[in-house]
Amino acid sequence: MFSDLKPEELVNKLPLESGMQIVDFGCGTGFLTLPLAKKVAPNGRVLALDLVPEYLETVKLKADNQKLSYSVITKCVDLTASNATGLNPSSIGGAVMANVLFQNNEDGKKALLQEAKRILRPDGFLLIVEWHIEDLPPSENLYPLSKEDILKLLADSGFTLTKELSLSTTTHWALLFSKT
């Protein structure tokens, strides 16, 4: 799978401010974590969450190399567990789920969204970035949804679409939501 998603382009379209607290669900090796950290530094933080410890080690190394280690905190966690982030309710300004939902079954998707809703402040945002469904290979380990199905899932989970982000990518779409 080839992606033409540009992390800086995406991050520049988000309602970010210096000092914000952001959670990157399923951060991988820091594709969005580090550009997010640059935007919220020096007083903001990005909590980078993933199930794979090696990915988090890579994020830490990249953050150190870019002098962002103060702005990036990593945590190895099963994101579908109850209260996975360990954060207080309504405490976070933004949550990001990029290329995460398609990797989770229906229950996993609902658990992720429930945790995002729990930790987001009333004025917070949730960014969902997903592959165009036709760009994903067929697999019994992937659970992609169409954009329309994602919109319904988010509405059923207590989120309201704020806007669709216009990006130069041909492989992904990005939607901003707020808590209902």
Side-chain angles (χ1 to χ4, degrees):
M1 297 184 306
F2 170 75
S3 169
D4 63 359
L5 185 63
K6 298 174 182 84
E8 286 78 13
E9 176 190 19
L10 178 58
V11 168
N12 285 335
K13 295 193 179 237
L14 298 178
L16 297 170
E17 298 173 10
S18 178
M20 285 184 81
Q21 307 297 313
I22 307 294
V23 176
D24 188 355
F25 284 81
C27 65
T29 59
F31 183 74
L32 288 178
T33 303
L34 299 168
L36 287 166
K38 287 177 188 173
K39 284 288 188 180
V40 300
N43 298 321
R45 303 283 178 283
V46 177
L47 175 58
L49 305 173
D50 208 287
L51 186 60
V52 181
E54 294 82 9
Y55 291 169
L56 297 172
E57 286 301 318
T58 299
V59 171
K60 286 180 195 175
L61 288 171
K62 288 179 178 179
D64 287 346
N65 288 340
Q66 295 181 31
K67 308 221 180 324
L68 291 169
S69 56
Y70 180 75
S71 297
V72 176
I73 301 162
T74 61
K75 184 176 181 181
C76 188
V77 63
D78 175 356
L79 295 170
T80 62
S82 179
N83 296 334
T85 64
L87 297 169
N88 291 328
S90 302
S91 62
I92 297 297
V96 174
M97 293 184 193
N99 299 323
V100 172
L101 290 178
F102 81 91
Q103 298 181 58
N104 289 274
N105 64 21
E106 184 177 349
D107 290 341
K109 286 174 176 54
K110 289 178 181 175
L112 284 160
L113 295 173
Q114 180 179 10
E115 181 64 357
K117 185 176 180 191
R118 187 185 75 77
I119 64 172
L120 279 176
R121 296 188 324 235
D123 63 342
F125 70 86
L126 171 62
L127 170 69
I128 301 289
V129 180
E130 285 290 327
W131 287 88
H132 289 293
I133 199 167
E134 62 275 5
D135 290 331
L136 290 171
S139 170
E140 55 190 54
N141 297 320
L142 298 179
Y143 310 92
L145 294 175
S146 68
K147 190 188 309 182
E148 293 73 26
D149 289 337
I150 291 280
L151 288 168
K152 181 177 180 345
L153 176 65
L154 271 284
D156 291 347
S157 298
F159 289 93
T160 301
L161 178 65
T162 305
K163 69 177 170 178
E164 182 167 1
L165 301 180
S166 175
L167 302 171
S168 62
T169 178
T170 60
T171 56
H172 289 79
W173 47 265
L175 304 170
L176 267 181
F177 293 88
S178 60
K179 285 174 38 169
T180 302

